[in-house]
Amino acid sequence: MFERNLTRREMELIEDIREFIKEKHSQSERHDYSHVLQVVRYAIQIAKAIPDEVNPFVLICGALFHDVGWIGTDTGVLHGLRGATIVDEYFDSTWVSADVKKRIKRIVIRHTATSMMAPQTVEEKIVWDADGLDGMGLIGILRGLVAEQGSIEEILTDEFRESRKTYDRLYFEESRRIGKELHEETIEVIRSFKRALDHRLKAIEQLALPVERPVNWARVWVDISQAK
Ligand SMILES: [Fe+2]
Ligand SMILES: [Fe+2]
């Protein structure tokens, strides 16, 4: 549950951040603005469902900024740490206290395993879960396909494994409830893809190739001998 409601001043700043993030993510394919918004949505849903007290401002800012470190890079390496420096600079010109800024930065750093620092506070764990959930299900597969390389079978198998791994690493019961549905959706989508691929392969094997009629050698022999 949220420990309190957002103040008017916080709401105004969140609106500014949303505009900033929207513009920053407009060029990104896999980490587009819709991903960020979905992470905010999942984060709010999880926060409302759990008994822990959650700071709404810290949580929402953390979710909005979580992938900003991807912008301007292709690989996203260390995007958590990169994002934290952007958070630092952004909040320098605002009224936000050093303590709150630090809590938001920690969310950004710890939302990804690439930072090698596990989430610890309740807000950090919520954004971790919310981010993982958007990598599952139909949309998660589509986001994965944008970035992956390899054969279709390999990508699908990877997507299945990733979805399972993400599910296993969720912190909250509410996240697992959402994640279970998404994982089932992942399985169903992959099954349909596999069915379509198998069907295609069989169709190729049974291909009625336009081969010329077999040569009738007896007839050829007759023709040759008559020509003599
Ligand atoms: Fe990320
Ligand atoms: Fe993300």
Side-chain angles (χ1 to χ4, degrees), residues 25 30-32 35-36 39 63 66-68 70 79 111-112 127-128 130-132 134-135 143:
H25 283 266
R30 192 177 178 192
H31 294 84
D32 65 355
H35 164 62
V36 179
V39 170
H66 85 277
D67 267 342
V68 76
W70 265 92
H79 71 280
H111 87 275
T112 163
V127 174
W128 168 279
D131 189 39
D134 200 41
R143 289 184 56 227

PDB file of all heavy atoms in Angstrom, residues 25 30-32 35-36 39 63 66-68 70 79 111-112 127-128 130-132 134-135 143, ligand 2:
ATOM      1  N   HIS A  25      12.836   8.642 -24.663  1.00  0.00           N
ATOM      2  CA  HIS A  25      12.603   7.275 -25.135  1.00  0.00           C
ATOM      3  C   HIS A  25      11.963   7.209 -26.518  1.00  0.00           C
ATOM      4  O   HIS A  25      11.683   6.116 -27.008  1.00  0.00           O
ATOM      5  CB  HIS A  25      11.735   6.503 -24.132  1.00  0.00           C
ATOM      6  CG  HIS A  25      12.503   6.039 -22.931  1.00  0.00           C
ATOM      7  ND1 HIS A  25      13.072   4.786 -22.845  1.00  0.00           N
ATOM      8  CD2 HIS A  25      12.817   6.664 -21.781  1.00  0.00           C
ATOM      9  CE1 HIS A  25      13.689   4.669 -21.674  1.00  0.00           C
ATOM     10  NE2 HIS A  25      13.550   5.794 -21.014  1.00  0.00           N
ATOM     11  N   ARG A  30      13.345  -1.089 -28.360  1.00  0.00           N
ATOM     12  CA  ARG A  30      12.990  -2.090 -27.358  1.00  0.00           C
ATOM     13  C   ARG A  30      12.604  -1.438 -26.030  1.00  0.00           C
ATOM     14  O   ARG A  30      11.758  -1.925 -25.303  1.00  0.00           O
ATOM     15  CB  ARG A  30      14.184  -3.017 -27.158  1.00  0.00           C
ATOM     16  CG  ARG A  30      13.816  -4.257 -26.352  1.00  0.00           C
ATOM     17  CD  ARG A  30      14.994  -5.177 -26.232  1.00  0.00           C
ATOM     18  NE  ARG A  30      14.643  -6.310 -25.422  1.00  0.00           N
ATOM     19  CZ  ARG A  30      15.541  -7.154 -24.955  1.00  0.00           C
ATOM     20  NH1 ARG A  30      16.817  -6.977 -25.213  1.00  0.00           N
ATOM     21  NH2 ARG A  30      15.166  -8.177 -24.223  1.00  0.00           N
ATOM     22  N   HIS A  31      13.256  -0.335 -25.723  1.00  0.00           N
ATOM     23  CA  HIS A  31      12.964   0.351 -24.466  1.00  0.00           C
ATOM     24  C   HIS A  31      12.212   1.637 -24.775  1.00  0.00           C
ATOM     25  O   HIS A  31      12.679   2.726 -24.501  1.00  0.00           O
ATOM     26  CB  HIS A  31      14.251   0.617 -23.696  1.00  0.00           C
ATOM     27  CG  HIS A  31      14.895  -0.646 -23.259  1.00  0.00           C
ATOM     28  ND1 HIS A  31      15.713  -1.378 -24.073  1.00  0.00           N
ATOM     29  CD2 HIS A  31      14.786  -1.337 -22.102  1.00  0.00           C
ATOM     30  CE1 HIS A  31      16.087  -2.463 -23.423  1.00  0.00           C
ATOM     31  NE2 HIS A  31      15.549  -2.478 -22.244  1.00  0.00           N
ATOM     32  N   ASP A  32      11.065   1.466 -25.413  1.00  0.00           N
ATOM     33  CA  ASP A  32      10.315   2.643 -25.817  1.00  0.00           C
ATOM     34  C   ASP A  32       9.481   3.173 -24.639  1.00  0.00           C
ATOM     35  O   ASP A  32       9.460   2.597 -23.560  1.00  0.00           O
ATOM     36  CB  ASP A  32       9.441   2.336 -27.049  1.00  0.00           C
ATOM     37  CG  ASP A  32       8.365   1.314 -26.742  1.00  0.00           C
ATOM     38  OD1 ASP A  32       8.350   0.770 -25.612  1.00  0.00           O
ATOM     39  OD2 ASP A  32       7.526   1.055 -27.614  1.00  0.00           O
ATOM     40  N   HIS A  35       7.026   0.936 -22.841  1.00  0.00           N
ATOM     41  CA  HIS A  35       7.611   0.034 -21.838  1.00  0.00           C
ATOM     42  C   HIS A  35       7.710   0.752 -20.488  1.00  0.00           C
ATOM     43  O   HIS A  35       7.315   0.208 -19.456  1.00  0.00           O
ATOM     44  CB  HIS A  35       8.992  -0.452 -22.294  1.00  0.00           C
ATOM     45  CG  HIS A  35       9.803  -1.065 -21.196  1.00  0.00           C
ATOM     46  ND1 HIS A  35       9.409  -2.198 -20.519  1.00  0.00           N
ATOM     47  CD2 HIS A  35      10.975  -0.671 -20.616  1.00  0.00           C
ATOM     48  CE1 HIS A  35      10.306  -2.491 -19.596  1.00  0.00           C
ATOM     49  NE2 HIS A  35      11.261  -1.577 -19.622  1.00  0.00           N
ATOM     50  N   VAL A  36       8.200   1.981 -20.525  1.00  0.00           N
ATOM     51  CA  VAL A  36       8.357   2.748 -19.280  1.00  0.00           C
ATOM     52  C   VAL A  36       6.988   2.925 -18.606  1.00  0.00           C
ATOM     53  O   VAL A  36       6.837   2.694 -17.397  1.00  0.00           O
ATOM     54  CB  VAL A  36       9.002   4.128 -19.560  1.00  0.00           C
ATOM     55  CG1 VAL A  36       9.136   4.935 -18.277  1.00  0.00           C
ATOM     56  CG2 VAL A  36      10.362   3.961 -20.218  1.00  0.00           C
ATOM     57  N   VAL A  39       5.795  -0.228 -17.003  1.00  0.00           N
ATOM     58  CA  VAL A  39       6.509  -0.500 -15.747  1.00  0.00           C
ATOM     59  C   VAL A  39       5.910   0.359 -14.627  1.00  0.00           C
ATOM     60  O   VAL A  39       5.701  -0.125 -13.509  1.00  0.00           O
ATOM     61  CB  VAL A  39       8.041  -0.257 -15.915  1.00  0.00           C
ATOM     62  CG1 VAL A  39       8.758  -0.304 -14.582  1.00  0.00           C
ATOM     63  CG2 VAL A  39       8.624  -1.309 -16.855  1.00  0.00           C
ATOM     64  N   ALA A  63      10.490   4.327 -11.379  1.00  0.00           N
ATOM     65  CA  ALA A  63       9.968   3.578 -12.529  1.00  0.00           C
ATOM     66  C   ALA A  63      10.126   4.402 -13.812  1.00  0.00           C
ATOM     67  O   ALA A  63      10.509   3.872 -14.863  1.00  0.00           O
ATOM     68  CB  ALA A  63       8.501   3.215 -12.292  1.00  0.00           C
ATOM     69  N   HIS A  66      13.853   4.433 -14.829  1.00  0.00           N
ATOM     70  CA  HIS A  66      14.628   3.197 -14.677  1.00  0.00           C
ATOM     71  C   HIS A  66      15.492   2.843 -15.905  1.00  0.00           C
ATOM     72  O   HIS A  66      16.583   2.323 -15.750  1.00  0.00           O
ATOM     73  CB  HIS A  66      13.732   2.013 -14.253  1.00  0.00           C
ATOM     74  CG  HIS A  66      13.057   1.294 -15.368  1.00  0.00           C
ATOM     75  ND1 HIS A  66      11.892   1.726 -15.942  1.00  0.00           N
ATOM     76  CD2 HIS A  66      13.389   0.154 -16.029  1.00  0.00           C
ATOM     77  CE1 HIS A  66      11.535   0.905 -16.884  1.00  0.00           C
ATOM     78  NE2 HIS A  66      12.424  -0.072 -16.975  1.00  0.00           N
ATOM     79  N   ASP A  67      14.997   3.118 -17.122  1.00  0.00           N
ATOM     80  CA  ASP A  67      15.762   2.726 -18.319  1.00  0.00           C
ATOM     81  C   ASP A  67      16.356   3.916 -19.061  1.00  0.00           C
ATOM     82  O   ASP A  67      16.802   3.750 -20.208  1.00  0.00           O
ATOM     83  CB  ASP A  67      14.865   1.931 -19.282  1.00  0.00           C
ATOM     84  CG  ASP A  67      14.962   0.428 -19.044  1.00  0.00           C
ATOM     85  OD1 ASP A  67      15.948  -0.006 -18.406  1.00  0.00           O
ATOM     86  OD2 ASP A  67      14.048  -0.301 -19.483  1.00  0.00           O
ATOM     87  N   VAL A  68      16.384   5.081 -18.438  1.00  0.00           N
ATOM     88  CA  VAL A  68      16.874   6.266 -19.162  1.00  0.00           C
ATOM     89  C   VAL A  68      18.349   6.097 -19.556  1.00  0.00           C
ATOM     90  O   VAL A  68      18.807   6.669 -20.540  1.00  0.00           O
ATOM     91  CB  VAL A  68      16.623   7.561 -18.338  1.00  0.00           C
ATOM     92  CG1 VAL A  68      17.615   7.713 -17.200  1.00  0.00           C
ATOM     93  CG2 VAL A  68      16.641   8.784 -19.241  1.00  0.00           C
ATOM     94  N   TRP A  70      19.610   3.705 -21.041  1.00  0.00           N
ATOM     95  CA  TRP A  70      19.716   3.047 -22.357  1.00  0.00           C
ATOM     96  C   TRP A  70      19.880   4.063 -23.477  1.00  0.00           C
ATOM     97  O   TRP A  70      20.441   3.754 -24.539  1.00  0.00           O
ATOM     98  CB  TRP A  70      18.429   2.257 -22.658  1.00  0.00           C
ATOM     99  CG  TRP A  70      18.486   0.818 -22.298  1.00  0.00           C
ATOM    100  CD1 TRP A  70      18.100   0.278 -21.109  1.00  0.00           C
ATOM    101  CD2 TRP A  70      18.931  -0.275 -23.115  1.00  0.00           C
ATOM    102  NE1 TRP A  70      18.282  -1.077 -21.140  1.00  0.00           N
ATOM    103  CE2 TRP A  70      18.791  -1.442 -22.362  1.00  0.00           C
ATOM    104  CE3 TRP A  70      19.430  -0.371 -24.417  1.00  0.00           C
ATOM    105  CZ2 TRP A  70      19.137  -2.697 -22.855  1.00  0.00           C
ATOM    106  CZ3 TRP A  70      19.784  -1.617 -24.922  1.00  0.00           C
ATOM    107  CH2 TRP A  70      19.635  -2.763 -24.134  1.00  0.00           C
ATOM    108  N   HIS A  79      23.496   0.258 -17.964  1.00  0.00           N
ATOM    109  CA  HIS A  79      22.504   1.334 -18.117  1.00  0.00           C
ATOM    110  C   HIS A  79      21.901   1.770 -16.783  1.00  0.00           C
ATOM    111  O   HIS A  79      21.403   2.884 -16.661  1.00  0.00           O
ATOM    112  CB  HIS A  79      21.422   0.978 -19.139  1.00  0.00           C
ATOM    113  CG  HIS A  79      20.456  -0.070 -18.702  1.00  0.00           C
ATOM    114  ND1 HIS A  79      20.730  -1.406 -18.736  1.00  0.00           N
ATOM    115  CD2 HIS A  79      19.189   0.032 -18.233  1.00  0.00           C
ATOM    116  CE1 HIS A  79      19.674  -2.085 -18.320  1.00  0.00           C
ATOM    117  NE2 HIS A  79      18.732  -1.233 -17.993  1.00  0.00           N
ATOM    118  N   HIS A 111      17.561  -1.940 -10.667  1.00  0.00           N
ATOM    119  CA  HIS A 111      16.453  -2.604 -11.391  1.00  0.00           C
ATOM    120  C   HIS A 111      16.992  -3.659 -12.354  1.00  0.00           C
ATOM    121  O   HIS A 111      16.241  -4.474 -12.874  1.00  0.00           O
ATOM    122  CB  HIS A 111      15.621  -1.565 -12.166  1.00  0.00           C
ATOM    123  CG  HIS A 111      16.135  -1.270 -13.538  1.00  0.00           C
ATOM    124  ND1 HIS A 111      17.122  -0.344 -13.789  1.00  0.00           N
ATOM    125  CD2 HIS A 111      15.841  -1.817 -14.751  1.00  0.00           C
ATOM    126  CE1 HIS A 111      17.392  -0.319 -15.083  1.00  0.00           C
ATOM    127  NE2 HIS A 111      16.632  -1.208 -15.700  1.00  0.00           N
ATOM    128  N   THR A 112      18.306  -3.599 -12.642  1.00  0.00           N
ATOM    129  CA  THR A 112      18.878  -4.522 -13.626  1.00  0.00           C
ATOM    130  C   THR A 112      20.010  -5.346 -13.026  1.00  0.00           C
ATOM    131  O   THR A 112      20.841  -4.805 -12.285  1.00  0.00           O
ATOM    132  CB  THR A 112      19.389  -3.750 -14.876  1.00  0.00           C
ATOM    133  OG1 THR A 112      20.270  -4.590 -15.615  1.00  0.00           O
ATOM    134  CG2 THR A 112      20.158  -2.485 -14.502  1.00  0.00           C
ATOM    135  N   VAL A 127      10.055  -2.143  -8.562  1.00  0.00           N
ATOM    136  CA  VAL A 127      10.430  -1.766  -9.938  1.00  0.00           C
ATOM    137  C   VAL A 127      11.133  -2.937 -10.636  1.00  0.00           C
ATOM    138  O   VAL A 127      10.917  -3.193 -11.823  1.00  0.00           O
ATOM    139  CB  VAL A 127      11.288  -0.467  -9.963  1.00  0.00           C
ATOM    140  CG1 VAL A 127      11.801  -0.178 -11.375  1.00  0.00           C
ATOM    141  CG2 VAL A 127      10.464   0.716  -9.456  1.00  0.00           C
ATOM    142  N   TRP A 128      11.918  -3.701  -9.893  1.00  0.00           N
ATOM    143  CA  TRP A 128      12.532  -4.923 -10.448  1.00  0.00           C
ATOM    144  C   TRP A 128      11.445  -5.849 -10.999  1.00  0.00           C
ATOM    145  O   TRP A 128      11.517  -6.321 -12.138  1.00  0.00           O
ATOM    146  CB  TRP A 128      13.343  -5.625  -9.355  1.00  0.00           C
ATOM    147  CG  TRP A 128      13.781  -7.017  -9.699  1.00  0.00           C
ATOM    148  CD1 TRP A 128      13.016  -8.164  -9.616  1.00  0.00           C
ATOM    149  CD2 TRP A 128      15.059  -7.434 -10.200  1.00  0.00           C
ATOM    150  NE1 TRP A 128      13.746  -9.252 -10.023  1.00  0.00           N
ATOM    151  CE2 TRP A 128      15.002  -8.834 -10.380  1.00  0.00           C
ATOM    152  CE3 TRP A 128      16.242  -6.763 -10.498  1.00  0.00           C
ATOM    153  CZ2 TRP A 128      16.093  -9.570 -10.855  1.00  0.00           C
ATOM    154  CZ3 TRP A 128      17.327  -7.497 -10.968  1.00  0.00           C
ATOM    155  CH2 TRP A 128      17.246  -8.889 -11.143  1.00  0.00           C
ATOM    156  N   ALA A 130       8.233  -5.133 -11.683  1.00  0.00           N
ATOM    157  CA  ALA A 130       7.437  -4.497 -12.750  1.00  0.00           C
ATOM    158  C   ALA A 130       8.183  -4.558 -14.081  1.00  0.00           C
ATOM    159  O   ALA A 130       7.585  -4.844 -15.128  1.00  0.00           O
ATOM    160  CB  ALA A 130       7.147  -3.045 -12.373  1.00  0.00           C
ATOM    161  N   ASP A 131       9.479  -4.331 -14.038  1.00  0.00           N
ATOM    162  CA  ASP A 131      10.294  -4.372 -15.261  1.00  0.00           C
ATOM    163  C   ASP A 131      10.331  -5.791 -15.832  1.00  0.00           C
ATOM    164  O   ASP A 131      10.182  -6.000 -17.030  1.00  0.00           O
ATOM    165  CB  ASP A 131      11.710  -3.882 -14.921  1.00  0.00           C
ATOM    166  CG  ASP A 131      12.559  -3.681 -16.157  1.00  0.00           C
ATOM    167  OD1 ASP A 131      12.032  -3.203 -17.169  1.00  0.00           O
ATOM    168  OD2 ASP A 131      13.764  -4.001 -16.104  1.00  0.00           O
ATOM    169  N   GLY A 132      10.499  -6.770 -14.947  1.00  0.00           N
ATOM    170  CA  GLY A 132      10.526  -8.172 -15.381  1.00  0.00           C
ATOM    171  C   GLY A 132       9.211  -8.573 -16.024  1.00  0.00           C
ATOM    172  O   GLY A 132       9.193  -9.245 -17.061  1.00  0.00           O
ATOM    173  N   ASP A 134       7.124  -6.860 -17.712  1.00  0.00           N
ATOM    174  CA  ASP A 134       6.928  -6.368 -19.083  1.00  0.00           C
ATOM    175  C   ASP A 134       7.804  -7.103 -20.095  1.00  0.00           C
ATOM    176  O   ASP A 134       7.684  -6.888 -21.292  1.00  0.00           O
ATOM    177  CB  ASP A 134       7.149  -4.851 -19.181  1.00  0.00           C
ATOM    178  CG  ASP A 134       6.480  -4.292 -20.436  1.00  0.00           C
ATOM    179  OD1 ASP A 134       5.348  -4.724 -20.741  1.00  0.00           O
ATOM    180  OD2 ASP A 134       7.094  -3.467 -21.137  1.00  0.00           O
ATOM    181  N   GLY A 135       8.663  -8.002 -19.597  1.00  0.00           N
ATOM    182  CA  GLY A 135       9.446  -8.836 -20.516  1.00  0.00           C
ATOM    183  C   GLY A 135       8.761 -10.167 -20.760  1.00  0.00           C
ATOM    184  O   GLY A 135       9.283 -11.033 -21.459  1.00  0.00           O
ATOM    185  N   ARG A 143       9.075  -7.632 -27.766  1.00  0.00           N
ATOM    186  CA  ARG A 143      10.215  -6.786 -27.384  1.00  0.00           C
ATOM    187  C   ARG A 143      11.504  -7.576 -27.533  1.00  0.00           C
ATOM    188  O   ARG A 143      12.519  -7.046 -27.954  1.00  0.00           O
ATOM    189  CB  ARG A 143      10.051  -6.286 -25.950  1.00  0.00           C
ATOM    190  CG  ARG A 143       8.944  -5.236 -25.816  1.00  0.00           C
ATOM    191  CD  ARG A 143       8.863  -4.682 -24.398  1.00  0.00           C
ATOM    192  NE  ARG A 143      10.131  -4.126 -23.968  1.00  0.00           N
ATOM    193  CZ  ARG A 143      10.689  -4.376 -22.784  1.00  0.00           C
ATOM    194  NH1 ARG A 143      10.108  -5.178 -21.923  1.00  0.00           N
ATOM    195  NH2 ARG A 143      11.835  -3.816 -22.476  1.00  0.00           N
TER     196      ARG A 143
HETATM  197 FE    FE B   2      13.046  -1.728 -18.368  1.00  0.00          FE
END
